[in-house]
DNA sequence: CACACCCTGACAGTTTATGTCAGGGTCAAG
DNA sequence: CTTGACCCTGACATAAACTGTCAGGGTGTG
């Protein structure tokens, strides 16, 4: 059945973030290259984020392509409200992302359903005098965390004394309004936590750290 | 092309929450009833939440069936973290819903992608001495809000003085740890806000209120 | 420039889908 | 219990869609 092969193509491309040629897909799925070209045209006409480039191959546009999902009303409440919370608590980049994601989900709902959410009966707002601006370093830290890139950070402790160190960023935790960066400190060879608002500067090292038993976030959780 | 008709069937059923007969779909899509039966079997084999009952017709299982969506990494961070926040801030029902929704999304990610999120590099936790238990009335209020059902509430003001009134629940707002119910008060003929933790009791009236200009949540927002 | 690869039309042959017919089952209302 | 509405599936002839081969044209990279 052709429809299964269309989904199979998307699955293989989700697995393979590198460009993949029509020839490779054709062999894997036991069809001709011409059929793959046809399937790609069909997928694109259906709106799938697939792009092909001569000399390169096919790949999914960056991001995460989720298949159809089914949520009950409570679950959708949780998603929408969660993004409301983020839009007032995260930094600008994360807040904008929450708005975008929320819009995508709402756009996918039907008009009658949308009323339950788009008119926003559920809200998260901050009291103006309580919420400090999230650190501008939050997003670059989040990015380094995702990339698993070591950071050189300048940190001020309670006495305003500065120190620098090389860390592996492992996790970010929000305690109400305080963001805490959990890291493996290379110079101390141990886990350390840093308040993001006390990090004065970060410098990306370009140095990717490997997965290493004993130095992962779940290892830190085991110490608690 | 068949795949388009399969999606068309799902779209029509999203629009129509009542059961719809194969005959109706067949006429609408200009195919035979037998073809609709085949299409339904195909959709079910693909996991679509479609159920058919003799004498009744076909309908989608309750909930919200979202089509394939594409999120960039920041957007997915926002979604996952938002649900983390909800799981520590909402009442038990909303928190459970957040956990379930989060699990569905993570299950839909590929293993390589899942590592970015399932190992939870982003967290939301509460400091144990700061978070009061969310009111047990939160979920029934949320349900009434969704159903647009008038409530009879017993409210205690700052002086512990009780009063009862009939309200139209219009919106729920979370200020950090305080949930505020925005309502149209039928006896005062005006908007009123009630802290959920000061609501002693709610009694569902079974009375559905219509959409009425001047008495909606966005009308309240206009007064600010 | 050469190589890798995307892209599309045409056509004959192959495969899948469709509509009709027949027969069996469930649910709800009277 | 009966009746009507509607789901469900197999069989078969016919129609439609799909496939592979061939040909020709375009883009990106080293």
């Amino acid at each position: 059945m052709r429809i299964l092969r269309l989904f199979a193509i998307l699955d293989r491309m989700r697995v393979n973030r590198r460009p993949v040629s029509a020839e490779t897909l054709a062999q894997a799925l036991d069809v001709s290259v011409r059929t793959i070209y046809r399937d790609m045209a069909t997928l694109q006409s259906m709106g799938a984020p697939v792009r092909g480039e001569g000399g390169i191959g096919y790949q999914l546009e960056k991001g995460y392509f989720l298949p159809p999902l089914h949520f009950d009303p409570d679950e959708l409440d949780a998603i929408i409200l969660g993004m409301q919370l983020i839009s007032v608590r995260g930094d600008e980049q994360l807040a904008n992302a929450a708005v975008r994601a929320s819009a995508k989900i709402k756009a996918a709902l039907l008009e009658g359903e949308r009323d339950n959410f788009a008119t926003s009966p559920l809200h998260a707002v901050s009291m103006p005098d309580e919420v400090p601006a999230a650190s501008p370093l939050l997003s670059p830290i989040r990015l380094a965390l995702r990339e698993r890139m070591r950071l050189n950070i300048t940190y001020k402790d309670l006495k305003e004394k500065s120190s620098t160190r090389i860390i592996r960023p492992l996790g970010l935790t929000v305690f109400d309004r305080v963001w805490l960066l959990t890291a493996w400190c290379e110079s101390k060879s141990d886990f350390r936590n840093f308040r993001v608002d006390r990090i004065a500067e970060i410098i990306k090292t370009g140095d990717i750290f490997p997965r290493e038993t004993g130095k992962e976030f779940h290892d830190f959780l085991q110490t608690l």
Side-chain angles (χ1 to χ4, degrees), chain A:
Chain A
M1 185 161 52
R2 189 187 185 205
I3 188 171
L4 291 183
R5 192 177 67 238
L6 292 177
F7 285 132
I9 288 174
L10 288 177
D11 279 348
R12 283 176 178 272
M13 296 181 70
R14 290 169 74 195
V15 169
N16 227 340
R17 282 292 168 175
R18 300 249 178 87
V20 56
S21 70
E23 177 63 43
T24 303
L25 287 170
Q27 286 178 8
L29 298 172
D30 204 28
V31 292
S32 70
V33 174
R34 186 66 183 86
T35 296
I36 296 295
Y37 288 141
R38 288 197 182 103
D39 288 348
M40 291 299 179
T42 300
L43 287 171
Q44 285 168 0
S45 76
M46 284 160 60
V50 178
R51 293 294 170 262
E53 265 186 287
I56 310 288
Y58 288 99
Q59 63 193 133
L60 286 181
E61 291 178 357
K62 294 198 174 178
Y64 300 93
F65 183 51
L66 294 181
L69 293 175
H70 186 249
F71 298 107
D72 68 43
D74 280 352
E75 286 166 351
L76 207 55
D77 270 351
I79 292 172
I80 300 292
L81 184 56
M83 283 180 283
Q84 298 255 3
L85 285 174
I86 294 293
S87 69
V88 300
R89 288 194 166 283
D91 63 350
E92 187 180 353
Q93 193 168 343
L94 201 52
N96 287 340
V99 171
R100 293 197 306 271
S102 185
K104 284 180 182 177
I105 291 172
K106 288 173 186 174
L109 293 172
L110 296 171
E111 198 164 319
E113 298 169 341
R114 214 177 289 159
D115 286 349
N116 290 349
F117 302 97
T119 56
S120 302
L122 302 180
H123 292 263
V125 298
S126 57
M127 298 189 173
D129 56 339
E130 286 190 15
V131 181
S135 168
L137 297 181
L138 189 59
S139 276
I141 288 174
R142 213 165 25 89
L143 186 58
L145 198 153
R146 188 183 297 137
E147 293 172 330
R148 298 183 64 85
M149 186 186 296
R150 284 190 182 87
L151 294 177
N152 185 330
I153 63 168
T154 304
Y155 191 68
K156 293 186 180 181
D157 62 21
L158 285 176
K159 301 177 184 175
E160 299 294 317
K161 179 179 172 183
S162 286
S163 62
T164 65
R165 55 193 69 185
I166 304 286
I167 62 165
R168 302 182 187 193
L170 298 176
L172 266 174
T173 306
V174 55
F175 289 88
D176 288 330
R177 293 170 294 281
V178 178
W179 290 85
L180 204 60
L181 171 63
T182 301
W184 174 265
C185 182
E186 299 287 20
S187 38
K188 307 292 188 185
S189 287
D190 199 6
F191 295 109
R192 287 288 185 274
N193 287 291
F194 307 97
R195 284 181 53 146
V196 174
D197 55 329
R198 294 212 187 107
I199 297 176
E201 185 181 27
I202 63 168
I203 299 175
K204 287 194 174 182
T205 64
D207 194 20
I208 306 295
F209 56 92
R211 290 191 183 272
E212 201 170 341
T213 303
K215 300 182 183 178
E216 298 294 337
F217 190 69
H218 61 83
D219 297 315
F220 166 71
L221 293 178
Q222 299 280 16
T223 68
L224 303 181

